[in-house]
């Protein structure tokens, strides 16, 4: 088994059709690959078995979460180098079968099987969710939200910081000086300004998280807020914050599905980082429900991650790693699809603002928070859960930075029959 790294590096080149862009260190201490590059550490032969029995992204993710794979050196550089060669190839069982038609690839596969040890598929890590078809029923949505958000409020405090805002921050400029807390406060204020909140109005905050938007709107703008979430842990945390600030007379937090809200009308609705959970089949229902809850002239601010459109939209599939470990049942849509669905529901879309670069910067700060508090994060959750979040946030930061995904704030109005939107002639001021 001597010099396993050289053997692995050679086999990887045969299978992938290109040399690995990172250095490789195997369980026997051997190394191969470009000197000075980040190092992919294969800690044991079980990592190979995970990749053999589940080729592509999910097999690699299982090995990472289980601790069978690690990266030494800059994580972003390593992920960026490997993205086009591995994660973006779209490898699955069908593409593997096609590749195995090549005799050289088949020979490399046989050699890899010998190197991997006993041909027994390892069990998936405990952090993996058993995935179901994306039905987006009330029950399935509650289960998915619980998996993602009921990890422990202390863990989220460590990652997100004191703001407890789990969506991209907003920097007036990308110069030095502004902290993550400043930028999250500015994002909440940006949402309030777009909604035109005024004292005494009613705001519905859909997917209210730990209550940050509800608190900011009530404290700074004097509105009355109903916040809804499916997470018991989020609701308990938000209610305590509200009580501590003496705002229980202005803010109500409910554990409630947005589809069950029936006490409109509201003057404004904010939906920040929630619509990604709705699902394509349910999106028009979501848009119509929010439209029906607004007063004529009321505004919706929909803050949502978007993917790039595909030539064949029917070929879109949910990212395996994120579906299994991060956001079960989460789905992304192109911004054009979102705007179309909002308009089909009756909304007049008045403004779309892209904040893609802001999310890349936000995620890098969350990763830094996690890594600075790594030992505590592991104690609060598990080693596997901490690795899930590290990989998910770092890879997502790169995806935003390279325009593979984006995030947009869509301002839409339930325009009355008269056609008066009650919006200023120009909603934004551009800076040179």
């Amino acid at each position: 088994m001597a010099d396993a790294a050289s053997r692995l590096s050679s086999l990887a080149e045969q299978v992938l059709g290109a040399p690995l862009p990172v250095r490789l260190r195997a369980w026997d201490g051997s190394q191969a690959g470009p000197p000075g590059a980040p190092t992919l550490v294969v800690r044991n032969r079980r990592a190979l078995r995970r990749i053999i029995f589940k080729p592509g992204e999910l097999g690699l993710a299982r090995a990472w979460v289980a601790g069978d794979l690690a990266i030494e050196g800059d994580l972003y550089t390593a992920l960026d180098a490997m993205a086009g060669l591995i994660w973006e190839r779209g490898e699955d069982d069908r593409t593997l079968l096609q590749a195995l038609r090549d005799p050289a690839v088949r020979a490399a596969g046989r050699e890899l099987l010998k190197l991997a040890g006993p041909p027994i598929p390892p069990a998936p890590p405990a952090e993996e969710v058993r995935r179901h078809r994306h039905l987006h029923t009330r029950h399935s949505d509650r289960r998915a939200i619980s998996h993602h958000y009921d990890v422990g409020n202390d863990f989220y405090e460590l990652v997100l910081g004191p703001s407890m805002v789990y969506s991209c921050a907003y920097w007036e400029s990308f110069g030095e000086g502004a902290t993550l807390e400043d930028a999250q406060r500015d994002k909440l204020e940006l949402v309030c300004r777009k909604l035109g909140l005024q004292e005494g109005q009613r705001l519905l905050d859909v997917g209210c998280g730990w209550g940050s938007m509800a608190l900011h709107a009530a404290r700074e703008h004097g509105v009355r807020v109903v916040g809804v979430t499916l997470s018991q842990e989020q609701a308990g945390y938000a209610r305590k914050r509200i009580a501590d600030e003496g705002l229980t007379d202005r803010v109500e937090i409910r554990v409630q599905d947005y589809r069950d809200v029936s006490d409109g009308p509201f003057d404004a609705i904010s939906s920040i980082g929630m619509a990604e959970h709705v699902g394509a089949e349910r999106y028009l229902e979501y848009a119509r429900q929010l439209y029906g809850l607004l007063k004529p002239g009321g505004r919706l601010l929909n803050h949502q991650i978007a993917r790039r459109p595909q030539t064949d939209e029917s070929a879109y599939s949910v990212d395996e790693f994120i579906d299994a470990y991060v956001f079960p049942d989460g789905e992304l849509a192109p911004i054009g699809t979102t705007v179309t669905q909002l308009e089909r529901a009756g909304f007049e879309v008045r403004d779309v603002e892209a904040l893609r670069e802001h999310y890349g910067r936000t995620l890098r700060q969350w990763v830094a928070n996690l890594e600075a508090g790594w030992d505590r994060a592991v104690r609060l959750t598990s080693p596997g859960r901490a690795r899930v979040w590290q990989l998910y946030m770092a890879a997502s930061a790169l995806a935003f930075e390279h325009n593979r995904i984006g995030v947009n704030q869509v301002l839409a109005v339930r325009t009355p029959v008269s056609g008066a939107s009650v919006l200023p002639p120009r909603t934004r001021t551009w800076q040179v």
Side-chain angles (χ1 to χ4, degrees):
M1 200 62 63
D3 200 15
S6 292
R7 294 172 66 189
L8 278 176
S9 183
S10 176
L11 291 170
E13 184 170 347
Q14 285 180 270
V15 172
L16 297 173
L20 278 175
V22 295
R23 194 160 177 79
L24 197 66
R25 188 170 76 241
W27 57 89
D28 63 352
S30 60
Q31 299 191 47
T39 301
L40 179 64
V41 181
V42 185
R43 288 176 168 162
N44 50 58
R45 295 190 295 167
R46 184 173 57 245
L48 305 185
R49 295 198 292 277
R50 292 192 186 279
I51 295 166
I52 288 169
F53 284 101
K54 191 60 181 176
E57 181 177 322
L58 189 56
L60 287 162
R62 285 174 173 174
W64 174 272
V65 175
D68 301 328
L69 287 178
I71 289 173
E72 290 182 358
D74 186 76
L75 177 61
Y76 297 101
T77 301
L79 292 177
D80 209 14
M82 293 189 293
L85 193 59
I86 299 175
W87 281 283
E88 293 172 22
R89 287 165 64 97
E91 299 287 2
D92 57 21
D93 295 339
R94 288 172 297 176
T95 54
L96 179 65
L97 288 173
Q98 293 171 357
L100 287 175
R101 294 172 183 167
D102 185 333
V105 172
R106 287 202 302 272
R110 288 192 294 270
E111 182 67 17
L112 189 60
L113 282 168
K114 292 178 185 177
L115 198 56
I120 302 171
E127 292 78 10
E128 184 169 317
V129 172
R130 183 180 177 185
R131 290 168 294 157
H132 303 268
R133 184 170 172 266
H134 295 177
L135 298 175
H136 291 283
T137 64
R138 285 165 173 78
H139 175 71
S140 67
D141 283 353
R142 191 177 298 274
R143 183 180 61 236
I145 293 299
S146 179
H147 170 81
H148 187 72
Y149 293 105
D150 292 342
V151 176
N153 293 328
D154 290 343
F155 174 78
Y156 276 102
E157 282 183 338
L158 186 154
V159 174
L160 304 179
S163 71
M164 289 298 279
V165 178
Y166 186 33
S167 55
C168 81
Y170 176 77
W171 281 266
E172 291 289 349
S173 71
F174 286 148
E176 298 297 325
T179 67
L180 177 61
E181 294 308 304
D182 294 334
Q184 290 292 17
R185 181 199 62 236
D186 290 347
K187 189 273 298 297
L188 297 177
E189 181 59 22
L190 176 66
V191 171
C192 291
R193 293 202 311 269
K194 288 182 176 183
L195 289 173
L197 296 182
Q198 299 177 28
E199 187 168 354
Q201 289 184 332
R202 292 187 78 210
L203 168 69
L204 173 64
D205 187 27
V206 181
C208 65
W210 293 272
S212 300
M213 174 62 190
L215 279 168
H216 183 90
R219 184 180 58 239
E220 303 299 329
H221 296 270
V223 299
R224 291 173 292 123
V225 188
V226 173
V228 295
T229 175
L230 294 179
S231 167
Q232 293 283 354
E233 289 196 20
Q234 284 186 332
Y237 188 97
R239 288 167 183 155
K240 184 179 184 306
R241 294 176 75 189
I242 290 158
D244 289 346
E245 293 209 26
L247 290 171
T248 53
D249 61 329
R250 292 189 190 175
V251 183
E252 178 189 2
I253 301 295
R254 305 173 185 169
V255 178
Q256 185 178 35
D257 193 290
Y258 73 92
R259 288 165 284 199
D260 296 328
V261 177
S262 59
D263 56 331
F266 294 88
D267 298 282
I269 298 176
S270 55
S271 178
I272 306 172
M274 177 272 177
E276 297 87 343
H277 297 288
V278 170
E281 292 183 5
R282 299 284 187 181
Y283 203 91
L284 185 57
E285 177 187 358
Y286 158 83
R288 285 173 172 163
Q289 170 71 357
L290 301 192
Y291 183 85
L293 288 169
L294 274 174
K295 291 180 179 178
R299 303 181 193 179
L300 165 69
L301 193 287
N302 191 79
H303 178 118
Q304 182 178 343
I305 297 171
R307 62 176 172 85
R308 302 292 297 168
Q310 298 185 182
T311 303
D312 178 10
E313 278 292 313
S314 66
Y316 167 68
S317 61
V318 176
D319 182 279
E320 283 192 301
F321 165 61
I322 290 179
D323 196 34
Y325 287 98
V326 186
F327 284 111
D329 287 358
E331 295 179 62
L332 301 183
I335 179 59
T337 301
T338 296
V339 168
T340 296
Q341 295 290 64
L342 291 171
E343 290 184 328
R344 286 181 66 196
F347 282 106
E348 179 188 7
V349 172
R350 295 298 300 247
D351 185 76
V352 178
E353 183 172 8
L355 302 177
R356 177 173 61 81
E357 293 88 350
H358 295 261
Y359 221 152
R361 182 167 180 170
T362 304
L363 282 156
R364 283 181 179 260
Q365 295 210 21
W366 288 346
V367 171
N369 289 346
L370 174 63
E371 292 178 346
W374 185 262
D375 291 342
R376 184 163 180 262
V378 168
R379 290 196 303 270
L380 290 170
T381 54
S382 68
R385 181 68 63 195
R387 284 192 285 266
V388 165
W389 280 80
Q390 183 187 34
L391 177 60
Y392 151 63
M393 294 191 298
S396 296
L398 291 169
F400 281 107
E401 289 165 1
H402 293 316
N403 193 27
R404 292 193 287 269
I405 54 177
V407 62
N408 305 279
Q409 288 190 350
V410 179
L411 179 64
V413 180
R414 178 173 175 166
T415 305
V417 175
S418 68
S421 67
V422 200
L423 281 166
R426 188 179 183 190
T427 56
R428 274 195 276 149
T429 300
W430 289 97
Q431 294 180 343
V432 178

